[in-house]
Amino acid sequence: MKRAVTSRVGYLRGVPKIDPDGAVVIVTGGARGIGAETAKLFASKGAIVWIGDLDENIAKDTATTIPNAVARRLDVTDRASWALFLDELIAEHGRIDVLVNNAGVMPVGPFVDEPEATTDLMLDVNVRGMLNGMHAVLPLMAKAGRGHVVNVSSMAGMIPLPGMVTYNTSKYAALGGSLAARREYDGTGVTVSAIMPAAVRTELSSGADLSVLPTVDPEDVARQVLRTLTTRAAKTSAPTWVLPGWGLVEAFVPETVERAVRKLIGHDQAMALDPVGRKDYLDRIERHADQNASTGGRAATTSAKAAK
């Protein structure tokens, strides 16, 4: 693994700066929501953006509204699909500067009622998809001596909530994988950051009452993703105060008190879904879960599981 020559002070010593103007950026799950807003923001700063998503037609529609953006079908759960995606990108641009691992799914509700296919889909997309993305780009970045990976985890990667057992599991894993890869690639010129949004106003949370958490818009999360190019912080929440706030709760609030407060504010809201408001999203997730199950948990061809 190539080690970069050090030139700056502290953790960022030896980490080359990445200017978004002219940077080659991959955004998975970029057809909608956080991914689309992230692609739009990077492009507005002059970046060349490649969107990878299951819903190729929607992704291409999104790309047509963004200067210097293209969209391709990408199965984040399949390494062969990543290889095809990157082969085309490298042939055209010769490098990857930034990967935003945004693809994710969030079915919520009572754990006992969760079909096995839904469990598999969440773990395959939210965990395997993120790992596959890092596995594909980190060696290329390390060889070049520069690069940045942003994994979109969630405050659900730190705050456990009823009705989100598998989702919590996947986002805890996403955070752990981010922190471990960050350390493994110390000194190579490559950095890894985790973004941890609270409740985001996207289709992902449609019909699920998560008002127990602070809410943000996709644009707010996109700004935090872009900001990591400067800070290279290990963890950043959106809103930014949530992460340090939860750290204080964990450090100083006894579990008995925390339980009482949780009950008071109704922390089990994810258990009660609005079937009408969430129907379109759940129908799409069911189709993806069936497809995922039919291919043994991972697609053998290029089709993406990705849409935050």
Side-chain angles (χ1 to χ4, degrees):
M1 192 182 295
K2 182 179 178 180
R3 301 286 163 179
V5 177
T6 60
S7 61
R8 288 194 278 169
V9 177
Y11 172 71
L12 295 182
R13 188 173 50 191
V15 177
K17 294 181 180 179
I18 298 177
D19 188 336
D21 188 7
V24 179
V25 180
I26 298 170
V27 181
T28 69
R32 308 172 176 83
I34 294 171
E37 292 301 328
T38 300
K40 186 184 302 181
L41 182 58
F42 270 97
S44 74
K45 303 298 182 181
I48 300 164
V49 181
W50 281 57
I51 295 171
D53 202 290
L54 168 65
D55 294 316
E56 186 178 13
N57 290 336
I58 296 175
K60 286 183 175 180
D61 287 344
T62 299
T64 61
T65 69
I66 302 174
N68 295 322
V70 298
R72 296 291 185 269
R73 203 171 184 189
L74 170 67
D75 182 350
V76 297
T77 74
D78 180 28
R79 289 188 178 183
S81 181
W82 272 102
L84 290 172
F85 184 90
L86 292 180
D87 283 349
E88 184 179 356
L89 185 153
I90 294 296
E92 185 161 344
H93 302 292
R95 70 182 197 280
I96 306 159
D97 297 308
V98 180
L99 166 64
V100 182
N101 262 325
N102 167 72
V105 294
M106 193 186 79
V108 298
F111 181 53
V112 71
D113 296 336
E114 183 176 286
E116 184 177 8
T118 300
T119 302
D120 290 343
L121 180 68
M122 271 191 278
L123 296 179
D124 280 343
V125 177
N126 298 357
V127 182
R128 184 184 297 277
M130 177 206 70
L131 293 175
N132 284 347
M134 290 199 297
H135 189 272
V137 306
L138 284 173
L140 299 174
M141 290 178 172
K143 183 177 180 181
R146 68 191 299 273
H148 184 52
V149 174
V150 184
N151 293 322
V152 180
S153 177
S154 169
M155 283 308 298
M158 294 185 71
I159 303 177
L161 291 170
M164 301 179 72
V165 172
T166 303
Y167 187 72
N168 276 136
T169 299
S170 71
K171 292 304 182 179
Y172 270 71
L175 176 59
S178 300
L179 297 179
R182 177 182 177 87
R183 281 153 181 78
E184 184 165 327
Y185 279 80
D186 275 352
T188 66
V190 181
T191 47
V192 180
S193 297
I195 296 295
M196 308 179 69
V200 187
R201 300 181 189 97
T202 67
E203 187 192 32
L204 198 74
S205 60
S206 60
D209 187 351
L210 301 178
S211 57
V212 65
L213 297 173
T215 55
V216 292
D217 291 312
E219 297 88 342
D220 300 320
V221 182
R223 282 192 289 270
Q224 295 303 331
V225 172
L226 179 64
R227 182 168 168 260
T228 66
L229 281 188
T230 301
T231 68
R232 306 296 176 97
K235 296 179 288 187
T236 304
S237 62
T240 54
W241 60 265
V242 176
L243 182 59
W246 179 248
L248 292 174
V249 171
E250 287 192 309
F252 298 111
V253 178
E255 186 177 4
T256 302
V257 175
E258 183 196 335
R259 284 175 176 270
V261 173
R262 280 173 171 263
K263 185 174 181 180
L264 182 66
I265 63 177
H267 75 140
D268 58 352
Q269 294 169 354
M271 299 282 280
L273 300 177
D274 173 6
V276 176
R278 199 160 172 77
K279 183 179 184 304
D280 288 346
Y281 180 71
L282 292 180
D283 285 348
R284 181 157 58 88
I285 290 301
E286 184 176 0
R287 291 195 301 272
H288 293 180
D290 288 344
Q291 180 185 357
N292 196 54
S294 70
T295 55
R298 295 183 300 280
T301 57
T302 55
S303 60
K305 302 281 188 316
K308 258 189 185 175

